[in-house]
Amino acid sequence: MTKDDAELAALRARVAELEGRPRRSRTKSALAVVLIVLAAVLTPLSAVAVWADSMIGDTDRYVATMEPLASDPDVQHAVANRVTTAVMQQIDVDDLLSGVAPDDRPRLEKALGAAEGPITSGLTSLVRTTAERFVSSPAFATVWKQLNRTAHAAVDKALTGSGDGAVQVKDGEVTLDLAPVVERVKDALVDNGLAVAAHIPEVHTSITLMQSTGTLAKAKKGFRLLQLLSWVLPLIVVLLVVGGVLLARRRRRALVGAALAVAVGALVLGLALWLGRSFYLDALPSDVSRPAAGAVYDTLVRFLRTGVRVVAVLGAVVALAAWLSGPGRWAVAVRGGWTGAIGSVREATGGGTFGPVGPWVHRMRTWLNWTVAAVAAAVLLAWNYPTGAVVAWIAVCAVCALAVIEFLDAPTVPDPPAGVPAAG
């Protein structure tokens, strides 16, 4: 083989190699896109899994979540109406009044407020007023916490089969006995001068927490699956993002896209929660208070909405950081402005190398920057139920730490040549 033939063969091999690279690159890029899209799709499901496990698996967290409802006017009004209806349904006014001594009748009429119309209307008004006064008092907050602990046991029993208490799970229906609230209202009636209220028999009325006839078994299976995936799904999302970025030809751009895709996935969940609220309220029976039901819904999904904001803010922060570290014209301009501004501050404070600190920071700058990022990530992971504001403040603190590193970064001042006096 002549020299020309060898050169021609080498050229052909090189051309074949170059033609094969784009195909392999396109395949890897397509796979990277698929992984990033899967991460975005699984983001809402992972947030729901974490929320479901934390709400059902943590009684104290559930009670703390529901506690603010005790002071919600719509909930107070709904509870007062329910208790009033339950009490009045159990009272036979004629039998009740027949047991009142003649001497007690003036006091009874005064307690009823000399209401116009039938005596039943006055009694109903008195019961409702007393119930409303009770649900507006601090005592109701205590009872409300106790009821919600029982409610949590009901949901836990319905979905996991564990737990017990004043809860019944029968034919797919979970009910909670409101007798403690009724008893406190009866005591308040007696304290307000209506001694005859002590003769009211024990009233048991229940509120349905869950009604899933024929579907409770499916709900149990679905919840157990969510419990199992509550920590697996977030890990899968992270691994999908990492895999997509590593497979991409332009990794920095892929990281920006992946972070934004995950943020969009979280925002889609937020939109679903907003739409789901309307569907939920529209499907309620006519005798259910929609304002109260809306307040309960908003409270139950409050931390899920917080999770949406956390993921959205975190995705935006990661995307911004990846973009600023890139070679783009605007990114370079922003970094130049950052460096120039901190340099001006350094010069205004006297400049210098800060002794041995400046040269050391200059040598270790890359490691120091990565340490700041690692510490910020560790704080975020260690934070118990962070909010969007927490993520933003962690990012602000990280930026401040990077600014300090930039401020202290000063290369070693070279020694002057022989025979040339040092400046100053």
Side-chain angles (χ1 to χ4, degrees), residues 249-342:
R249 189 161 58 94
R250 297 180 177 180
R251 292 178 177 174
R252 182 178 287 105
R253 181 176 295 181
L255 179 58
V256 173
L260 292 178
V262 170
V264 169
L267 293 176
V268 168
L269 174 58
L271 178 62
L273 292 175
W274 179 69
L275 294 175
R277 186 182 190 275
S278 299
F279 293 139
Y280 164 72
L281 295 179
D282 290 342
L284 290 174
S286 59
D287 60 341
V288 175
S289 171
R290 279 170 172 72
V296 173
Y297 178 91
D298 292 337
T299 300
L300 280 173
V301 303
R302 180 179 61 177
F303 286 104
L304 185 55
R305 286 172 172 162
T306 298
V308 168
R309 290 191 289 269
V310 168
V311 176
V313 172
L314 183 60
V317 169
V318 172
L320 180 61
W323 176 76
L324 287 175
S325 64
R329 181 165 61 92
W330 287 104
V332 171
V334 171
R335 293 201 304 271
W338 163 272
T339 304
I342 295 180

Side-chain angles (χ1 to χ4, degrees), residues 9-25:
L11 180 60
R12 287 174 177 173
R14 179 60 176 168
V15 170
E17 180 183 359
L18 293 176
E19 288 179 348
R21 282 184 179 178
R23 284 193 290 269
R24 291 196 298 270
S25 179

